[in-house]
Amino acid sequence: MKKEYDILVIGSGLGGLVSALILAKEGLKVCVLEKNNQYGGNLQTFSREKLIFDTGVHYLGGLTKGQNLNQFFSYLEIMDDLELQLMDEDGYDRISFGENEIEYPHAQGYQNFVEQLSKYFPEEKGNLENYCEEIQYVCSQFPRYHVVGKDNYNEEILHLNTKRFIESVTQNKKLQAVLLGSNFLYAGDSENVPFYVHALTVNSYIQSAYKCVNGGSQISKLLIRKLREYGAEVHKRSEVSEFIFNENNVLSSVKTKEGREYAAKQFISNIEIRSSIKLIGEERLKKSFLNRVLSWKPVSSCFSIYLVLKPQSLPNFNYNKYHYSSEEQVWNAFRYRKEAWPETFMLSSTPSKHHPEFAESLTAISYMDFDEVKEWENTFNTVAYEDERGEAYEKFKLEKIEKMLDALEKKIPNVRHAIKTIYTSSPLSYRDYIGNYEGNMYGYMKSSENPLKTMVSPRTKIDNLFLTGQSVNMHGILGVTIGAFNTCAEILGKETIDMRLTQMINKN
């Protein structure tokens, strides 16, 4: 017997879960299918030696009362249950270059942001104020950035280029590099990426920056708990392998690898857009759309090392460190020379539960091209489907660990002596667990030359199939959350979504 739903959501990444919950709150009968053993896509965490490590979400912005992500999460009824830790207000991110010991701070609050950086660049204070003003203006031009209001994109703003913008703000090369220092958050391409990507990313954290206590998976767990409260069904280890269309070319049901069939009136795909295309069937889509999507270049992937530390061996730091081999590296951080890897890394720490002044673990992440792991691309390894990639792969990982530790030693002398155990993830881990094409971190590369090329509508040519997730327009927790509200606005009508959000804002 196949069950019938109003809405079937394929994939339980943040976009899928948020969409499902918005619709379940409207009384619709919703079902979510997830192929993995764990829900949440990029929100997944893993546990080693009783410590929790994040795979994707290292910190969140805009969560203070009245700020946009706080309002979206309040509407979803998960805000009050999130366990958060406010990061260092005078520098939630610290940027450093080469041998230089100085760590330049990105501080919380616009006034504080300007003040903290003015200590290092006193003559640039006016330029820093302009930068902050422009960032806020660009963000205000985006639909739903302020939760309700603005229907469409301001096309002029989409074409602003990050490099040209930063160069227009200040002539100081070092300050340019510092302002771009957290571009790891949008895959390290400050030369070609539209300025709105930089603005939307940075603005969130300047408003407020928090760490998720016990990892980002608490977001997916809270969303699933709420979904069940609203009567939705959520199934893991249920990989959709086939779309079934009726004679009118309407999607009527899906089949999973296990042979179960699920029918619904409407469907939302929250899986990688190329995987969605495969399931739809290329013949059902316009050639122009197909060629456009297949021409997108995936954002770089990464290699991460997760260090379990000996007790009380390293002081904790309540901020992220972004390190570049040089100031020039910041423009194209994802491009690296293999022999000089890692030329860039992001480092974060987790405080010990019993001695919070000490770190209990560190996570270091650097870019890695999928080409580096291509020889193992036909292997697949997850907790649910275990498979060995072989000796050569283990050797490859060990070499990378050594190189990463060499780089970290320059920032944290004696770090090796503090390490108890080391775990890793490579582009293959990201591909296998999250399903991203070539293990990419944030979907596809955006360009200010042709910003609309990588924007797709949540509506597809199949009348009852919609898209959501990071491949559709904007990545990141905020970007994907906004995207999910936009997807649901296509299904329920923009007026309904706006009305619900306005009621919530007025109530609070």
Side-chain angles (χ1 to χ4, degrees):
M1 268 295 290
K2 60 181 179 194
K3 284 189 166 182
E4 177 125 16
Y5 303 90
D6 295 317
I7 302 279
L8 187 79
V9 179
I10 302 147
S12 73
L14 180 65
L17 293 177
V18 171
S19 301
L21 184 49
I22 294 165
L23 298 166
K25 278 175 66 114
E26 293 296 319
L28 295 171
K29 193 177 174 191
V30 177
C31 177
V32 181
L33 300 178
E34 166 56 53
K35 71 168 183 153
N36 276 335
N37 211 20
Q38 193 183 144
Y39 299 115
N42 273 318
L43 297 168
Q44 289 177 72
T45 52
F46 65 92
S47 168
R48 294 288 182 274
E49 301 174 46
K50 297 188 179 146
L51 301 185
I52 292 188
F53 290 94
D54 268 301
T55 55
V57 178
H58 297 284
Y59 56 144
L60 300 167
L63 276 178
T64 295
K65 197 163 173 55
Q67 293 172 358
N68 51 12
L69 194 56
N70 178 298
Q71 292 181 320
F72 286 121
F73 279 5
S74 296
Y75 179 76
L76 297 166
E77 301 172 53
I78 64 169
M79 191 59 226
D80 293 343
D81 294 317
L82 279 177
E83 281 190 67
L84 301 167
Q85 177 198 340
L86 189 67
M87 296 176 75
D88 190 331
E89 293 190 68
D90 290 338
Y92 61 88
D93 283 346
R94 313 264 169 134
I95 320 297
S96 59
F97 306 98
E99 307 294 305
N100 190 333
E101 301 254 309
I102 298 173
E103 292 187 334
Y104 297 94
H106 287 188
Q108 299 186 47
Y110 275 102
Q111 204 179 334
N112 196 23
F113 184 90
V114 172
E115 252 167 56
Q116 297 302 329
L117 278 179
S118 296
K119 291 175 186 173
Y120 299 90
F121 303 96
E123 66 297 339
E124 295 283 337
K125 192 170 183 187
N127 291 337
L128 283 163
E129 285 167 348
N130 288 346
Y131 167 80
C132 291
E133 235 167 76
E134 284 297 323
I135 278 200
Q136 291 171 89
Y137 170 71
V138 166
C139 291
S140 74
Q141 297 302 298
F142 266 72
R144 251 180 235 300
Y145 195 81
H146 291 305
V147 186
V148 178
K150 267 206 81 61
D151 270 0
N152 41 24
Y153 294 103
N154 171 336
E155 225 180 288
E156 197 183 316
I157 273 171
L158 295 182
H159 285 276
L160 278 176
N161 169 276
T162 304
K163 184 173 177 19
R164 285 196 293 274
F165 176 81
I166 294 288
E167 288 175 341
S168 75
V169 166
T170 174
Q171 301 295 299
N172 186 311
K173 294 274 184 236
K174 180 158 268 144
L175 181 56
Q176 289 174 2
V178 169
L179 293 176
L180 296 170
S182 58
N183 71 14
F184 213 102
L185 297 165
Y186 51 86
D189 180 7
S190 292
E191 209 151 78
N192 307 304
V193 85
F195 179 64
Y196 78 83
V197 175
H198 172 90
L200 294 177
T201 307
V202 171
N203 184 58
S204 232
Y205 295 108
I206 298 178
Q207 286 182 340
S208 61
Y210 292 88
K211 277 191 175 186
C212 270
V213 178
N214 292 333
S217 62
Q218 61 166 305
I219 298 171
S220 48
K221 285 173 185 152
L222 290 171
L223 288 168
I224 284 161
R225 196 164 83 198
K226 278 288 156 204
L227 274 166
R228 292 194 166 127
E229 278 174 29
Y230 280 99
E233 284 182 31
V234 193
H235 302 288
K236 57 186 172 185
R237 289 196 175 197
S238 301
E239 182 172 353
V240 171
S241 55
E242 191 187 345
F243 278 4
I244 296 162
F245 292 85
N246 66 18
E247 59 283 358
N248 302 322
N249 203 25
V250 171
L251 184 53
S252 58
S253 60
V254 304
K255 261 195 182 148
T256 65
K257 267 193 172 162
E258 298 70 35
R260 289 199 185 88
E261 195 172 339
Y262 296 83
K265 297 186 184 101
Q266 292 177 305
F267 299 78
I268 296 175
S269 174
N270 177 219
I271 57 176
E272 158 68 56
I273 195 160
R274 285 169 183 250
S275 307
S276 299
I277 285 172
K278 258 195 199 124
L279 289 169
I280 294 165
E282 295 190 1
E283 69 287 354
R284 285 196 172 83
L285 295 163
K286 274 190 174 168
K287 267 275 182 283
S288 55
F289 173 77
L290 211 57
N291 293 339
R292 178 160 69 97
V293 171
L294 298 179
S295 74
W296 295 352
K297 285 190 168 49
V299 156
S300 180
S301 188
C302 60
F303 186 90
S304 305
I305 67 171
Y306 309 94
L307 309 176
V308 176
L309 302 174
K310 293 171 188 165
Q312 301 174 52
S313 57
L314 270 188
N316 186 52
F317 47 94
N318 190 21
Y319 50 86
N320 302 303
K321 294 173 185 270
Y322 288 93
H323 184 71
Y324 297 83
S325 57
S326 69
E327 287 163 32
E328 292 69 50
Q329 179 69 19
V330 88
W331 295 101
N332 280 300
F334 67 99
R335 292 202 175 100
Y336 61 91
R337 294 163 298 150
K338 272 189 197 175
E339 65 280 6
W341 187 92
E343 293 195 75
T344 307
F345 60 81
M346 173 200 178
L347 183 65
S348 62
S349 79
T350 313
S352 151
K353 282 173 194 63
H354 305 298
H355 302 278
E357 67 278 21
F358 289 100
E360 64 181 12
S361 68
L362 294 178
T363 299
I365 310 171
S366 188
Y367 295 105
M368 184 173 280
D369 295 332
F370 192 76
D371 287 353
E372 291 216 40
V373 293
K374 208 163 177 58
E375 64 183 280
W376 303 285
E377 72 176 331
N378 294 324
T379 62
F380 184 88
N381 183 25
T382 63
V383 172
Y385 304 96
E386 285 198 40
D387 181 22
E388 290 300 315
R389 301 201 207 269
E391 214 175 294
Y393 180 67
E394 294 308 314
K395 184 169 171 276
F396 164 82
K397 287 198 298 186
L398 284 173
E399 282 169 12
K400 293 296 177 188
I401 288 169
E402 283 308 309
K403 286 186 163 189
M404 185 73 100
L405 291 178
D406 286 345
L408 293 184
E409 287 260 63
K410 291 176 186 160
K411 291 299 292 168
I412 306 176
N414 295 326
V415 72
R416 284 173 195 267
H417 298 298
I419 297 168
K420 185 181 163 210
T421 342
I422 302 173
Y423 300 95
T424 62
S425 58
S426 78
L428 294 169
S429 325
Y430 290 94
R431 179 201 67 180
D432 294 354
Y433 277 98
I434 297 163
N436 295 350
Y437 178 63
E438 295 192 346
N440 72 67
M441 284 196 282
Y442 309 124
Y444 294 89
M445 287 194 160
K446 296 169 174 58
S447 164
S448 57
E449 293 301 303
N450 190 356
L452 296 174
K453 183 184 174 185
T454 48
M455 286 191 163
V456 289
S457 163
R459 266 188 188 282
T460 70
K461 286 285 168 274
I462 313 295
D463 274 353
N464 61 338
L465 173 65
F466 301 84
L467 304 174
T468 199
Q470 68 174 12
S471 309
V472 187
N473 305 340
M474 200 54 198
H475 70 275
I477 297 282
L478 178 64
V480 169
T481 301
I482 289 175
F485 275 87
N486 289 338
T487 297
C488 293
E490 295 287 344
I491 294 169
L492 299 169
K494 183 180 179 297
E495 300 69 29
T496 303
I497 293 282
D498 283 356
M499 182 176 73
R500 297 282 183 265
L501 287 166
T502 306
Q503 285 166 344
M504 184 269 306
I505 292 165
N506 294 340
K507 203 170 77 186
N508 292 347

